[in-house]
Amino acid sequence: MIDSSLRRPRAQVPGPGNRLKLVVIGNGMAGGRTLEEILRRGGKDRFDITVFGDEPYGNYNRILLSNVLAGIEDTAEIYLNPIDWYTDNDIDLRSGVRVVRIDRSARVIYADDGTRMAYDRLLIATGSRTFFPPIAGLWVDDTTLTPGVFGFRSLDDCSAMLEYVKDARTAAVIGGGLLGLEAARGLQNHGLRVEVVQPTPTLMNAQLDDTAGGILRQSVENLGISVRTGARTTAVRSRDGRISGLEFADGTSMDCDMLVVSAGIRPNVGLARRAGLTVDRAIVVDDQLRSIDDDDVYVVGECAQHRGQVYGLVAPLWEQAVVLADHLTRTDSSAAYPGSRMATKLKVAGVSVASMGIKAPEHPDDEFVQFSEPKRGIYKTIIVRDGKLVGATLLGDTSKVALLIQAFDRGLPLPEDRSALLFDLGAGATEVGAAELADDVQVCNCNGVSKGTLVGCVRGGEKTVTGVMARTRAGKGCGSCKSLVSQIVEWAAGDDVEVDPAANWYVPGVPYDKPELMTKIRELKLHSVSSVFAALAPDGQEDAQSKMGLASLLEMIWAEEFVDERDARFINDRVHANIQRDGTFSVVPQMKGGVTSVQQLRTIADVAEKYDVPMIKLTGGQRIDLLGLRKEDLPAVWADLGMPSGYAYGKSFRTVKTCVGTDFCRFGVGDSTTLGIRIEERFQGIAGPGKMKLAVTGCPRNCAEALCKDLGVVAIDGGRWEIYVGGAAGAHIRKGDLLATVDDPDQVVVLTGRFLQYYRENAKWLERTYAWVPRIGIEKIRSVVVDDREGIAERLDADIQKAVDAYADPWRERERPATPGQFRTALPLTVLPQVGIAVGRR
Amino acid sequence: MTVRTHCPYCALQCGITLDISVRPVALEAQEAFPTNLGGLCAKGWTAAELIDHPDRLTTPLVRDAPGEPLRPASWDEALDRVAGAIRAAQNRYGANGVGLFGGGGLTNEKAYQLGKFARATLRTAMIDYNGRFCMSSAANAATRAFGIDRGLPFPLADVAATDALLLVGSNPADTMPPAMQFIDAARARGADLIVIDPRTTRTAMKARLHLQPAPGTDLALANGLLNVLIRERLIDLDYIAERTTGFDAVRRAVRLYWPDRVERISGVPEADLVRAARLLAEAEHAMILTARGAEQHSSGSDTALAFINLALALGLPGRPFSGYGTVTGQGNGQGGREHGQKADQLPGYRRLDDPVARTHVAKIWGIDPSELPAPGLSAYEMLDRLGTADGVHALWVVASNVVVSAPRAGHVAGRLRALDFLVVSDFFLSETAAMADVVLPSTQWAEETGTMTNLEGRVILRQAALPAPAGVRSDLWVMRELAARLERPALSADPEEIFEELRRASAGGKADYAGISYSRIIAEQGVFWPCPAPKHPGTPRLFSQDFPTPNRRARFHPVEHRGPVETPDAEYPYYLTTGRLLRQYQSGTQTRRVSALAEAEPEAVVELHASLAQRVGVGPGDLVALRTRRGRVLMRVRIVAGIRPDTVFAPFHYGGVAAVNLLTNPALDPHSRMPEFKACAVAVEAGPSRVETSVGGTTHD
């Protein structure tokens, strides 16, 4: 202790021109973090700040070093404060300069570059360094490690390892703690064979009990990392001046090309000790993070010892920095640091580990809850004391860690059923049908309508869903209960339910279902969307939501007689390309059956080069997608390609995916490629209520995924073909229903056409086959399409033929644009429909 | 006969029709109005009950002396009292001894006229409004980042076409149910809904992913999301380079928000954080919307900026069906903050401290720019200093119930008692009106014409459908009469005439209404500002070309997690957060008087997690006392599964012993002056075993 009478009087009241001199020794996370907190409290006006850091960089996030080693994180992304941050905040940074002496009586520091600098306040944030156990051969001399031996502490360590792994094949890691395991994982990522050498019997013994350590070991070994426990390393072997292996106390040994030592850390306290500050395991501080010997000297981070505890984690450092800054800047002179709760979390490839607080019960009344499932590598324990969580270990499954850590940090109330802390218990919610619901259950929350009220309304004589909704206002708020309301009304009305006509309208703005609408359109010879509205909509009102659906229907009915009004179309259909996130377009030329040629590939390559296409992508439909084209280039691109449109944008027939078929495939039983091309040639480009994606596959191995297509054809033994319809593998997954099994490709083509036409005529707008087929029922569809029970097969065939005949490649519009602005460049980011409900467009 | 008009409540301003040929008036939803498409919530469907309500004030009330009851009086007597009190305060304390406190439910015309009345007629700097308690943080953030503050920069219907929607502290399923149609439409198309809320609200139940952070940690969460996006290289570098400034500082700041750390701060599992980031980044179109849950904090404006940073890094603002917005709460929360009832603003979203703006507006008002006062105190600061040496001594409160809605409400009531004179205009006797020296009965929504600006920035028209009861006057008329009594230049009381002046005053400002007229609004179902000329189509979507900042780029702002000012400790071990219920609105002045609504939510109920209820030793329906450093309230217990066990939720619609704002913390956001309504430390204790009284059910004593 220094006699206080010898001290200079302290400058207490800073003001303009009267700022205190703050010197910070150490530019790691602790020093940097504390400075940020000081600056946030107006520290720039109170202090002239100088920072000494012996690493020659700005400050960086040390805990991400293992990510850097593993190649997950860019080095650039771990810097917290680059050099210019110091300049911007008027901080004098002396990087690469080491402070060698503190003269506390003179309040001056000396640095290894000859600097002598006076301070009013001193902040020691010297951190810690790797502890190297006494092992023979580890060092070449006092300061040089044997080549191939590394600590794992700094960016320099990391860079050196990343350089060295290029020529290394095997590595040893001494220390099976948190950092050692992360180092092992990092090295393994670079293709090295890695063995972890742990002197104690248990991995991560600071955090885990023996059971957990055992399970962790199993999991780590399953990842291909060897583990050797209870092994004390006695010597490093070298060959040609580099490490070649390790020797252990039990007489065994191992070979390795490199060694990472991660056997703990030691606080950097030499400077403080020489300055006469009290040092135990680290520099001893009070609750204000001041050295207990000197009110002008503050200490933060891994070099500080507070109430007997030295912290090697980042969260405590954060908490210390806040208290220190509050106190140093006099923002809150009563700020006191109570110590931190310790928690860690790491992931060794697939193995997650989290640990907080104590690892085993300590008091007789401690409640210890355990779950162990070694086969899956899962182990969980919690320790509860006086109703509060005081410790937890999670291994293999850390899904509950967020809850536990908050319960641990904040003393959250814990559920009586402790298992809820370890597992997500299913709520056990089951769908209750309309019949089982109790009468007083609220069906419509927005308007407070119960099932009983709905039923009462039906009994009162209202038999339509819309009528009940209008009278009770159920479903007239947010609308999300509409389907439940319908179910209840239908249940309550029994056979009396009157179908709400609007539910079956093809589009919302025209009050007819699809067959009626088609009849009217044919009778009145309505060839354009606007004429349909004028003739059939209430008051002739146009309805934006109905336009695209009507355009599609008219195109189907009238084929080439359809009067195409461009405003009825979505941008994709206006420019025959698929708009992308950034306002550019994608172009997919037709590639029938996914079969291409040298010439096609060469042309595509030339086009891609000429227009600087940023991405060329193979599509799921076996085509080539040129992405990132500008709208104004589209006509020229199509001209240069000289290939027809692949229709990768519209509500239309898209493509036929095929497998290799019989020519080359050893398993093929039917010539799927030829049939696929034939189908695509015939039905190319025909419009429909939704996309139509097809596939033909040459054997039941189903390489072309025919079972989950709108229509899929599968060759089976005996030269026969199965036709599946209504499959999907998008947002909805559905296996198609078997429509028919036929004997030859001609029949496949006929039934395909008939099915597609029936779908085009009967599905609602935007209703894909996966919804339409189950709605109508496969039996019904089969009876019409295959068995012709309704006698319309011939007409269906004729109408699809008409559609086939009307086919024209839309990319020919390049020669005469449909409207003057069709391919004009859109200003960036402005392609938008009118205000109103925007129509679905994926 | 039917009249097309709009619902009196929230910022959705649903289109309704009133059939006034019958009594009670029949109310229907407009099927084609773009924000509600035929939907209305329970509040909207029952709004007609406010017309002809027996509690309506139909005559002015005056109090002869403190402690005496209010008694009916003539308008002449009441206005003479008010004018006399204003003169007395001006003489004794100077112009700033008189203050005005407005509301976000007032029409644009009233908000504009109130600002003019304060600055040109009374020449006081002391005017602010309850919108300070709602939108100020989001408004401040949007102005800093985009150079303009319009709640949604796109029509609400665009939500239906987005592919990923992040809602932060927003619960439209309860607060504006008809808006859920658009969210549901998006979900039906496969869009991902992500909700950030400490409670499992009805909106959160619909989400693909629900993140449930501790109150006041949204900012850390946003920074964590951005940290993940940067690490996974999912940010839009071209957009950042071409359309923004300031990203480097943000990139550096969010390096400290790695997922582990954010998990510990917020309680949101790392895996959910990563998943949310990916859902947003991988969507073709994505939207981020914040609301009061994120904004009503002492770091609310920085929190909004953190989400704006996220939106900018993803390249969303200005892209189709994408962007950042805030979901405005009050009926005219948007228009109310554009035309001059805010302490620092002049019409057209101009700044009061901008010399050019002062000259422009002074010219229209026919005064010298030097006569315009400087910016005054923000809402809570004004209330906090009522009756003190440098404070307001005579206060006119218009359409606001500060005794229930201001933070630390007990203190605010005390300050009101310290005034020389309090006059309140309202159409019911609110808790605040009950304390006044003079109460002036106002016309209500169905009885007056005026424009409102909804959450989309769409200016709409409410049309008078019915004559007001005899004895009731419009606030515009009151201002005209007071100006005359104070012998100041004449003011108009005709809404359309005032709107014409507002058009000129706003011309050239950020919120430019110059091209908007009543006839256009009717013909076009509302007009989106800015609309600088009669031929201009209005602006449904902002930012498609650039941003209205000096360099035409949006600005990133590095922001740091600070957390709530109060955190739980041994004495106050839990978080209290407040919010709205489906069937109530604001301080409940209106909705608590509507029988169907009051019956559904008869008493104030606090939501508790089962494990917290167990620790406190209470069960469903029991009374509990909630206690903070500022006060104590009583509420009934409801046990809910979907709330964090360290957090209790209480609605703010009730007065008396259940007025939750007796508890809330008036710590203010340094940028927006928004109080910290959404998080403070609370103790929860078993209440009195005997039921003293119904809690919150009565409207006032």
Side-chain angles (χ1 to χ4, degrees), chain B residues 440 468 630 660:
Chain B
L440 303 177
R630 292 155 294 279
V660 80

Coordinates of all heavy atoms in Angstrom, one line a residue, chain B residues 440 468 630 660:
Chain B
L440 N -66.3 21.1 -22.2 CA -67.0 21.5 -23.4 C -67.4 20.3 -24.2 O -66.6 19.5 -24.6 CB -66.1 22.4 -24.2 CG -65.5 23.7 -23.5 CD1 -64.6 24.4 -24.5 CD2 -66.7 24.6 -23.1
A468 N -75.7 17.2 -34.9 CA -75.3 17.0 -33.5 C -76.5 17.3 -32.6 O -77.4 18.1 -32.9 CB -74.1 17.9 -33.2
R630 N -44.2 3.4 -8.8 CA -45.0 4.6 -9.0 C -46.5 4.4 -8.5 O -47.2 5.4 -8.4 CB -45.0 5.0 -10.5 CG -43.7 5.5 -11.0 CD -43.5 5.3 -12.4 NE -43.4 3.9 -12.8 CZ -42.3 3.1 -12.6 NH1 -41.2 3.7 -12.2 NH2 -42.3 1.8 -12.9
V660 N -53.8 1.0 -15.4 CA -52.4 0.4 -15.4 C -51.3 1.5 -15.6 O -50.2 1.3 -15.2 CB -52.3 -0.7 -16.5 CG1 -52.1 -0.1 -17.9 CG2 -51.2 -1.6 -16.1

